[in-house]
Amino acid sequence: QYNPSKKITLLWELLPEMKEVLKSNVWDSTIQVTKINASDSDFRVASTELVKSYYEGTGDIDVIPLGVDTDLFRPRNNKEELRKKYNIPTDKEVGFWGGTTHAMKGFENLKKYAAENPNIHWVIAWKQKGQDGFLEGASNFVHASQEMLSELMSCCDFMLVCGLLR
C-alpha cells in the first residue's frame, strides 16, 4: 500500500544501457544520483529484471512491468479496411516501426533495413514532434493516439524492433 511518507525511486535501465552501447560517460552523474537515491529509498521499482544488475547493492528492487491495454492492443480482422482508412497500400507487405530519432531507438537500423528491402511499405509512428524523422515512401505518423497506434499496428504484417537496448 502506498505511503506518501516513504521515499520511492524508479530505476531506469536506459541510462546504464546507453552508457554501455554508445560508449559515452555523459550519463554518469545521473546514474550516480539514481544510485544514491535508490540507496536512500524505502522502495526501489523497475520495469524489468535487467535493471537489477545495474543497481546491485542499493536494496531490494520490485519489478512492476509496464502495462499494455490488451483490450485496445489486440489482433483485429479488418486489416484491409484499416489500410484504406490510413492510406496504406493493400497490395504490399507492410512493416511497423515506432520510436524517435534518438540513437538508442535504432532509426538508422530501420533505414538500412528499408533500403535492403525496398518491396516493404513502412508505417512509422513517431513519439512526438521534435523527436520525429522521415523515411521516404513510408507512412509517417507523429504523436498518434493510443487508439490510432493500435489500428496502425493492425494494418501491418510485422513489427521491426531494431533499437540498441537489450
Side-chain angles (χ1 to χ4, degrees):
Q1 188 167 6
Y2 175 69
N3 181 340
S5 67
K6 302 285 186 178
K7 184 176 175 189
I8 300 172
T9 297
L10 177 59
L11 302 172
W12 297 96
E13 58 200 272
L14 183 64
L15 294 174
E17 191 84 358
M18 286 170 40
K19 175 182 173 63
E20 289 179 22
V21 173
L22 298 178
K23 300 186 183 352
S24 173
N25 295 326
V26 72
W27 302 282
D28 285 356
S29 61
T30 306
I31 294 167
Q32 187 60 31
V33 167
T34 303
K35 285 184 176 181
I36 290 168
N37 284 340
S39 295
D40 190 40
S41 290
D42 298 296
F43 301 102
R44 286 148 294 281
V45 179
S47 61
T48 68
E49 292 289 333
L50 176 64
V51 76
K52 287 184 174 185
S53 64
Y54 292 126
Y55 296 100
E56 284 181 0
T58 62
D60 293 335
I61 300 172
D62 291 326
V63 175
I64 302 175
L66 298 175
V68 173
D69 182 347
T70 56
D71 289 331
L72 183 59
F73 290 91
R74 68 192 188 315
R76 298 171 189 241
N77 60 3
N78 60 341
K79 184 184 291 191
E80 190 165 325
E81 175 187 326
L82 290 171
R83 284 188 181 187
K84 287 178 181 174
K85 177 179 179 179
Y86 291 106
N87 199 28
I88 295 167
T90 58
D91 60 345
K92 292 186 88 172
E93 184 175 26
V94 178
F96 179 90
W97 184 88
T100 71
T101 54
H102 189 283
M104 293 300 289
K105 294 294 183 181
F107 181 53
E108 293 303 316
N109 292 335
L110 167 65
K111 290 194 298 189
K112 181 180 178 208
Y113 188 83
E116 293 168 355
N117 298 276
N119 56 321
I120 298 172
H121 180 82
W122 292 95
V123 170
I124 302 177
W126 297 100
K127 184 175 180 181
Q128 61 192 35
K129 199 75 178 144
Q131 296 180 346
D132 59 317
F134 183 78
L135 183 65
E136 186 71 37
S139 299
N140 292 271
F141 299 88
V142 180
H143 198 70
S145 69
Q146 293 290 293
E147 177 69 33
M148 186 177 182
L149 277 175
S150 72
E151 290 181 346
L152 290 171
M153 288 177 177
S154 292
C155 289
C156 300
D157 299 305
F158 69 96
M159 175 183 283
L160 179 66
V161 179
C162 57
L164 304 181
L165 291 174
R166 285 183 274 167

